[in-house]
Amino acid sequence: MRLDTWRVAALAIALVAGAAQAVTLRVANQGDAQAMDPHALNEALQLSLLGNVYEPLVGRDEKLALTPALATRWSAMSPTVWRFELRRGVRFHDGTPLTAADVVFSFQRAAGEGSDMRSDTAAIKAVRAVAGKNGDDAIEIETNAPFPILPDVISNIYIMSRAWCEANQAMRPVDRRKGIENAATFKANGTGPFQLKARQPGTRTVLTRFAGYWAPLSTNVTEVVFTPIVNDATRVAALLSGEIDLMEPVPLQDIERVQANAALKVRQGPELRTIFLGMDQQRDELLDSNVKGRNPFKDRRVRQAIYQAIDIETIRTRVMRGAATPTALMLGPGVNGYPADLDRRLSYDPAAAKRLLAEAGYPSGFEVGMNCPNDRYVNDAKICQAVAANLARIGVRVQLQAEAKVTYFPKILRRQTSFYLLGWTPGTYDAHDVLSAVIATPNEQGQGQFNLGGYSNARVDALTAAVQSETDPARRNALIREALELHAKDIGHIPLHQQALAWGMKKNIELVQPPDNMMPFEWVVVK
């Protein structure tokens, strides 16, 4: 079908849809996407919002199982080569057809300079277009070693139009770390069920149903108005007054209040995200400390002292109001490979922490800067305040800088931090994700991209590589267990807890709440 004919057909579909009742869904969140570029930031809110506009080759269904998206089928041609058959008839929002060249380009872009998705492409050696069955377009992805979970790993690599990126000077990703912007900061052109209508960063983003979408949709939503409302009280007031229809998260202190409203409901559930503390273990001297000529965090005794000085139970009960599960690991239940028997925290013991500091040569403690977001995770700034208060009791004087994620993420992703709080949800729902992206030694290919403190253990790296290619489940779980146990003994990071989900909404809204905290609007129905 010629492009102009397709546009006439799409317009006709839109007119018919317009004859039906238009349904606007007004959504609020404590934060905003940092750009409309799907490769700019590997962060759940960013990927969640843009996942309505862009699509991967392989998606997830309501139960998080793999499901065909832009690829209709996939298979391993050899231990290191996977073939993906592309879906026919898919068009971008500007009406141009999806091609194998677009897919190859998107993977190259996601693996290139400035991309925040490189941890998901680190194992990929090459991506090429090939002829598929029945003459359909297909691509082959070759990996450096056998990689049985590759389809899981690429489920967050969203596909862009090469021609659109060329026309809009967006061939490389937006890189906020270096202050690099392009048209993809404010514009978007995906294949997803919703298309971008308007974008005002930090204020308002409007999406509308894409009339030319390749599949039927169960949602009756025709427009989504997404509004970031940082202040908890203001966000709750907007829900109570009817100004918005759906919000995430509901502040912990307001859950009962929202539940008590006859017109509203709260959907709660477990989340796969682990909140943890990271420490700079790479520099010889910390950026923000009164200790000169050495780095206290390079000493395991100091890291253990920080760990044992944190009163995790008080954080759970008072800061998180019971809506958190303390953890000793960088992943929790629901993630493939999770070893429950290792999930036992070191005891809270300030006296032991003081002894460890003295043994390490810091009997009077030391000063250190700490970076923390105040609009990303549940009670994130309050968690950091509690940690700072705990550490003060053992003589570690924290200079806390809590800030909006729009400035926080660029800073810590440049590794301009000594001590920081971060959250991580394994995008593959597999332990390899956190091992490769957060724990392994950083390299140029994207491994350890979010290991911002530079923790390094050669044995853990070797185990991570072995986990990638191991196909026997029992052996693979044993490798995962050994790697996580070594990391825990090293105190490479300080895990805190898995937070819980709390979405507030009008009672006439039905939706799916997956434990990865993604919010696909195609699964929302307004009754």
Side-chain angles (χ1 to χ4, degrees):
M1 185 183 292
R2 289 170 50 208
L3 180 57
D4 55 353
T5 305
W6 180 88
R7 282 178 174 154
V8 170
L11 178 59
I13 294 170
L15 290 172
V16 171
Q21 183 179 4
V23 177
T24 296
L25 178 70
R26 299 164 300 173
V27 182
N29 194 286
Q30 66 178 351
D32 194 10
Q34 300 303 290
M36 295 292 96
D37 190 324
H39 305 146
L41 184 64
N42 190 346
E43 185 241 2
L45 175 59
Q46 176 104 356
L47 296 175
S48 176
L49 184 62
L50 293 182
N52 294 287
V53 176
Y54 289 95
E55 295 178 290
L57 292 178
V58 182
R60 298 277 178 180
D61 64 17
E62 293 90 337
K63 296 182 179 180
L64 299 184
L66 292 179
T67 190
L70 295 182
T72 56
R73 64 184 68 87
W74 52 92
S75 58
M77 310 302 290
S78 74
T80 59
V81 176
W82 285 80
R83 177 170 292 184
F84 297 81
E85 306 284 338
L86 300 189
R87 188 178 297 279
R88 287 184 175 184
V90 176
R91 291 184 179 272
F92 289 98
H93 298 156
D94 65 359
T96 56
L98 170 73
T99 68
D102 295 314
V103 178
V104 173
F105 162 73
S106 297
F107 273 86
Q108 292 171 342
R109 189 179 189 272
E113 184 180 352
S115 171
D116 211 43
M117 305 303 297
R118 296 176 67 211
S119 63
D120 289 342
T121 63
I124 295 176
K125 180 179 180 180
V127 182
R128 50 186 174 262
V130 297
K133 294 181 180 179
N134 304 317
D136 292 345
D137 284 347
I139 67 158
E140 286 185 349
I141 299 179
E142 183 178 356
T143 56
N144 295 311
F147 201 5
I149 64 167
L150 177 70
D152 298 83
V153 172
I154 64 172
S155 61
N156 282 327
I157 301 295
Y158 296 152
I159 305 304
M160 302 182 74
S161 162
R162 181 184 177 91
W164 184 88
C165 287
E166 286 178 335
N168 287 275
Q169 291 79 51
M171 296 295 283
R172 292 164 69 175
V174 171
D175 189 351
R176 288 292 180 86
R177 285 161 292 196
K178 297 182 179 179
I180 297 174
E181 308 276 1
N182 59 45
T185 302
F186 308 105
K187 298 180 180 179
N189 180 41
T191 60
F194 289 85
Q195 59 187 347
L196 182 65
K197 178 182 178 181
R199 169 69 174 167
Q200 296 174 275
T203 303
R204 190 169 181 259
T205 301
V206 181
L207 308 179
T208 57
R209 278 272 290 272
F210 176 40
Y213 190 58
W214 53 265
L217 295 171
S218 58
T219 183
N220 63 344
V221 173
T222 57
E223 180 183 65
V224 178
V225 179
F226 178 90
T227 304
I229 304 176
V230 176
N231 184 271
D232 286 347
T234 304
R235 195 166 64 253
V236 171
L239 183 65
L240 293 172
S241 69
E243 182 181 342
I244 60 173
D245 307 306
L246 172 62
M247 66 173 280
E248 186 276 317
V250 178
L252 299 177
Q253 66 272 17
D254 292 307
I255 289 177
E256 291 184 3
R257 181 184 175 199
V258 174
Q259 287 174 326
N261 189 299
L264 303 174
K265 61 184 176 181
V266 176
R267 178 74 65 83
Q268 296 175 273
E271 187 176 5
L272 297 177
R273 187 190 318 276
T274 296
I275 304 298
F276 63 90
L277 302 175
M279 300 153 285
D280 181 357
Q281 300 165 54
Q282 195 166 26
R283 290 183 175 88
D284 291 329
E285 182 179 296
L286 293 176
L287 292 175
D288 307 303
S289 177
N290 64 338
V291 177
K292 303 303 177 184
R294 55 178 173 164
N295 178 347
F297 290 142
K298 285 192 173 187
D299 192 317
R300 182 193 178 281
R301 292 170 296 184
V302 172
R303 301 196 298 273
Q304 183 175 337
I306 300 294
Y307 187 137
Q308 292 198 268
I310 295 172
D311 185 353
I312 197 67
E313 183 60 19
T314 296
I315 291 176
R316 184 189 74 83
T317 57
R318 295 186 183 177
V319 178
M320 299 301 292
R321 295 175 180 252
T325 303
T327 183
L329 299 173
M330 296 290 283
L331 71 168
V335 177
N336 185 47
Y338 165 70
D341 63 306
L342 292 183
D343 199 354
R344 289 171 174 57
R345 288 184 61 84
L346 295 178
S347 62
Y348 166 56
D349 192 337
K354 286 183 178 180
R355 288 194 297 272
L356 286 165
L357 283 180
E359 290 173 11
Y362 306 98
S364 300
F366 56 89
E367 294 177 5
V368 64
M370 181 180 188
N371 298 102
C372 184
N374 60 18
D375 61 353
R376 180 60 195 96
Y377 312 113
V378 177
N379 285 354
D380 41 16
K382 292 179 180 178
I383 294 169
C384 291
Q385 290 164 3
V387 168
N390 287 164
L391 297 185
R393 298 189 184 108
I394 65 167
V396 176
R397 300 170 296 282
V398 172
Q399 305 300 316
L400 178 61
Q401 182 176 353
E403 58 192 308
K405 69 176 187 175
V406 68
T407 56
Y408 172 76
F409 278 124
K411 180 185 299 178
I412 67 163
L413 291 174
R414 291 194 303 268
R415 292 173 165 75
Q416 297 296 306
T417 183
S418 299
F419 188 34
Y420 62 92
L421 178 138
L422 195 64
W424 190 260
T425 302
T428 62
Y429 317 109
D430 186 273
H432 176 267
D433 181 278
V434 69
L435 287 171
S436 177
V438 182
I439 293 176
T441 304
N443 66 21
E444 291 298 319
Q445 288 70 47
Q447 174 183 284
Q449 187 174 13
F450 298 94
N451 179 0
L452 306 179
Y455 163 76
S456 184
N457 182 313
R459 176 58 181 165
V460 172
D461 293 343
L463 289 165
T464 299
V467 168
Q468 174 184 312
S469 57
E470 182 57 64
T471 57
D472 179 79
R475 288 198 294 268
R476 190 173 189 273
N477 283 341
L479 294 169
I480 291 170
R481 188 183 191 286
E482 183 181 350
L484 293 174
E485 187 171 24
L486 284 172
H487 175 263
K489 287 180 178 178
D490 286 344
I491 311 181
H493 298 79
I494 301 177
L496 297 177
H497 57 244
Q498 280 91 39
Q499 63 184 31
L501 298 174
W503 297 2
M505 67 202 77
K506 291 182 177 178
K507 282 192 174 177
N508 66 333
I509 291 178
E510 295 296 331
L511 50 69
V512 176
Q513 184 188 59
D516 60 0
N517 204 26
M518 295 288 193
M519 190 180 287
F521 300 134
E522 63 180 300
W523 296 345
V524 178
V525 174
V526 181
K527 294 184 176 180

